[in-house]
């Protein structure tokens, strides 16, 4: 149970459940095994398997009974309704005749305990006969498949969860987020349009989906800008929203406003090379060449944008009438084998002598 508690706590965090409650519940979920400990493999060590001498029907009764026994023990010790619910539900509706031993099923089984206590009691889906809330297992499978990069399987599981629990806001928003992440913005917009009025997370997802669509359909730019502004206002600080807003503003040639958004964003994440390049480009478009050159020089040593930063720096320094400085920096960056680059650096140094 200690091992399970560590795993389920991590799983609870991954699905935005209650990590502390999930961990405590994991400590107690198998207390029913105390009544017949040697009938469970984790307690047998080098001893014989007692089930080998039992009929399958009797074995299944012994194994199943640990759930009922655990519920009775938890009630007697007053462990609380949430813990008792998890003890009762921790095997879900799995079939005793098969063992599905794969990582996705194992993680989903652990996550069921965590997700069962994620929402306040007033918001939990009604449970019948101690079973699982509609759509929960499919939803958690989708989350695990998504985390493993198994996107086709994740799509199938999200579709199934949506059919099983069409009124679940959490499933709808998670599915929409997945669709945005995999570039299926049009489908995400359809999904969000079918539900109730959007709150902060829904506004965020709709705005990001529109931003994807607007990159291919200029007619959506004005609608996208409005959606992004609403989403930025509803979400206190969201780097993706602000970056998308800056891109949409720049697309409409609202350069000064776009630069202000990026400058504000860089105060929180100053070293992001993608942001640095965008900020420097906007400064260059505004004619603030010296500031742009400084920014391009700052990202010219390491990172994924090195080549672009170096080229832009050299261009701007030449435009500023400072080719010698550009040539000197080029000479520092280049290897001895880059003859073409060294010749260009030499030409710039000669020009700036």
């Amino acid at each position: 149970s200690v091992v399970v508690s560590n795993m389920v706590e991590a799983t609870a965090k991954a699905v935005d459940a209650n990590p502390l409650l999930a961990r405590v519940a994991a400590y107690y979920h198998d207390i029913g095994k105390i009544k017949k400990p040697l009938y469970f493999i984790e307690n047998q060590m080098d001893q014989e398997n007692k089930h080998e001498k039992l009929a399958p029907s009797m074995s299944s009764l012994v194994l199943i009974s640990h759930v009922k026994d655990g519920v009775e023990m938890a009630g007697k010790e007053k462990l609380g309704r949430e813990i008792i619910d998890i003890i009762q539900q921790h095997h879900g509706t799995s079939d005793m005749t098969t063992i599905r031993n794969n990582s996705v099923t194992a993680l989903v089984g652990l996550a069921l305990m965590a997700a069962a206590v994620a929402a306040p009691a007033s918001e939990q889906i009604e449970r019948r006969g101690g079973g699982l809330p509609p759509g929960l297992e499919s939803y958690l499978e989708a989350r695990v498949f998504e985390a493993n990069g198994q996107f086709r399987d994740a799509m199938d599981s999200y579709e199934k969860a949506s059919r099983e629990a069409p009124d679940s806001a959490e499933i709808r928003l998670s599915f929409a987020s997945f669709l945005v992440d995999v570039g299926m913005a049009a489908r995400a917009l359809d999904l969000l349009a079918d539900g109730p009025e959007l709150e902060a997370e829904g506004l965020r997802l709709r705005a990001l989906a529109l931003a994807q669509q607007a990159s291919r359909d200029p007619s959506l730019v004005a609608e996208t800008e409005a959606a992004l502004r609403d989403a930025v206002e509803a979400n206190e600080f969201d780097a993706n929203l602000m970056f998308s807003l800056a891109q949409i503003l720049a697309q409409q040639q609202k350069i000064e406003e776009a630069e202000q958004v990026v400058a504000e964003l860089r105060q929180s994440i100053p070293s992001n090379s993608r942001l640095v390049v965008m900020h420097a480009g906007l400064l260059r478009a505004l004619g603030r060449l010296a500031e742009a050159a400084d920014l391009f020089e700052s990202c010219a040593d390491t990172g994924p944008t090195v080549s672009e930063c170096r080229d832009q720096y050299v261009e701007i320094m030449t435009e500023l009438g400072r080719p010698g400085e550009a040539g000197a920096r080029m000479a520092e960056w280049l290897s001895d084998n880059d003859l073409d680059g060294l010749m260009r650096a030499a030409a710039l140094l000669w020009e700036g002598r």
Side-chain angles (χ1 to χ4, degrees):
S1 292
V2 173
V3 173
V4 170
S5 71
N6 291 331
M7 296 175 70
V8 78
E9 181 180 38
T11 307
K13 291 176 181 177
V15 297
D16 300 323
N18 184 329
L20 179 59
L21 186 51
R23 183 180 186 87
V24 172
Y27 287 146
Y28 290 102
H29 79 284
D30 268 345
I31 57 174
K33 293 180 179 179
I34 293 173
K35 287 198 173 183
K36 298 182 181 71
L38 296 181
Y39 282 87
F40 297 90
I41 193 168
E42 63 267 34
N43 301 318
Q44 290 173 0
M45 303 304 178
D46 295 328
Q47 302 177 47
E48 66 174 354
N49 187 341
K50 290 182 174 292
H51 291 278
E52 292 179 359
K53 296 181 179 179
L54 296 179
S57 58
M58 183 58 68
S59 285
S60 64
L61 286 174
V62 171
L63 294 174
I64 292 171
S65 69
H66 86 276
V67 175
K68 180 177 69 69
D69 292 340
V71 170
E72 291 176 355
M73 294 168 68
K76 183 179 179 180
E77 298 299 329
K78 297 181 174 59
L79 292 186
R81 186 71 253 169
E82 290 170 318
I83 303 295
I84 294 172
D85 282 347
I86 290 172
I87 293 172
Q88 185 176 34
Q89 297 169 4
H90 79 271
H91 277 288
T93 56
S94 56
D95 190 344
M96 287 291 292
T97 65
T98 60
I99 299 175
R100 297 186 298 168
N101 187 20
N102 60 68
S103 60
V104 170
T105 302
L107 282 172
V108 169
L110 292 170
L112 289 173
M113 286 195 291
V117 297
S122 61
E123 297 177 9
Q124 290 185 15
I125 303 171
E126 180 183 359
R127 291 160 172 75
R128 292 182 173 83
L132 301 176
L136 177 58
E137 186 169 5
S138 298
Y139 167 59
L140 291 172
E141 283 181 348
R143 293 291 295 270
V144 174
F145 280 132
E146 183 180 358
N148 288 342
Q150 298 169 259
F151 297 137
R152 183 179 296 277
D153 292 326
M155 173 70 79
D156 292 342
S157 293
Y158 272 125
E159 293 277 13
K160 184 179 179 183
S162 297
R163 291 192 299 270
E164 293 170 343
D167 297 327
S168 170
E170 181 178 359
I171 291 175
R172 186 165 60 94
L173 292 175
S174 293
F175 191 10
S177 178
F178 168 76
L179 292 168
V180 170
D181 288 344
V182 298
M184 300 180 66
R187 178 69 196 284
L189 289 170
D190 290 341
L191 186 66
L192 293 169
D194 289 341
E197 184 176 350
L198 300 176
E199 297 185 1
E201 179 61 12
L203 291 172
R204 174 183 176 275
L205 292 171
R206 179 176 180 273
L208 292 175
L210 278 170
Q212 280 188 22
Q213 291 291 85
S215 65
R216 298 184 288 267
D217 184 357
S219 68
L220 294 173
V221 168
E223 180 185 357
T224 301
E225 180 186 343
L228 284 165
R229 290 186 185 280
D230 289 343
V232 167
E233 184 176 348
N235 293 269
E236 186 173 349
F237 181 87
D238 189 295
N240 287 332
L241 287 174
M242 294 180 70
F243 185 80
S244 296
L245 177 59
Q247 287 182 314
I248 286 294
L249 291 170
Q251 190 174 340
Q252 299 176 88
Q253 297 303 307
K254 299 179 180 180
I255 306 299
E256 187 170 352
E257 191 173 359
E259 188 275 327
Q260 292 172 357
V261 172
V262 174
E264 180 183 351
L265 187 53
R266 287 194 59 239
Q267 289 179 5
S268 298
I269 39 179
S271 59
N272 184 289
S273 59
R274 190 179 175 200
L275 273 180
V276 170
V277 169
M278 185 177 188
H279 195 190
L282 292 168
L283 289 170
R284 185 176 186 181
L286 290 170
R288 293 160 61 179
L289 299 183
E291 295 174 72
D294 288 342
L295 278 183
F296 279 125
E297 186 178 17
S298 73
C299 62
D301 290 319
T302 60
T305 58
V306 163
S307 180
E308 181 179 3
C309 290
R310 291 178 179 180
D311 290 343
Q312 292 287 337
Y313 172 78
V314 171
E315 284 185 18
I316 294 175
M317 293 300 286
T318 303
E319 190 176 341
L320 285 169
R322 297 156 62 183
E325 294 177 53
R329 286 294 280 138
M330 278 191 71
E332 294 175 10
W333 295 327
L334 298 171
S335 68
D336 293 340
N337 296 325
D338 190 351
L339 297 180
D340 289 340
L342 289 170
M343 288 180 65
R344 186 184 178 201
L348 289 169
L349 286 167
W350 175 260
E351 185 181 346
R353 70 190 189 284

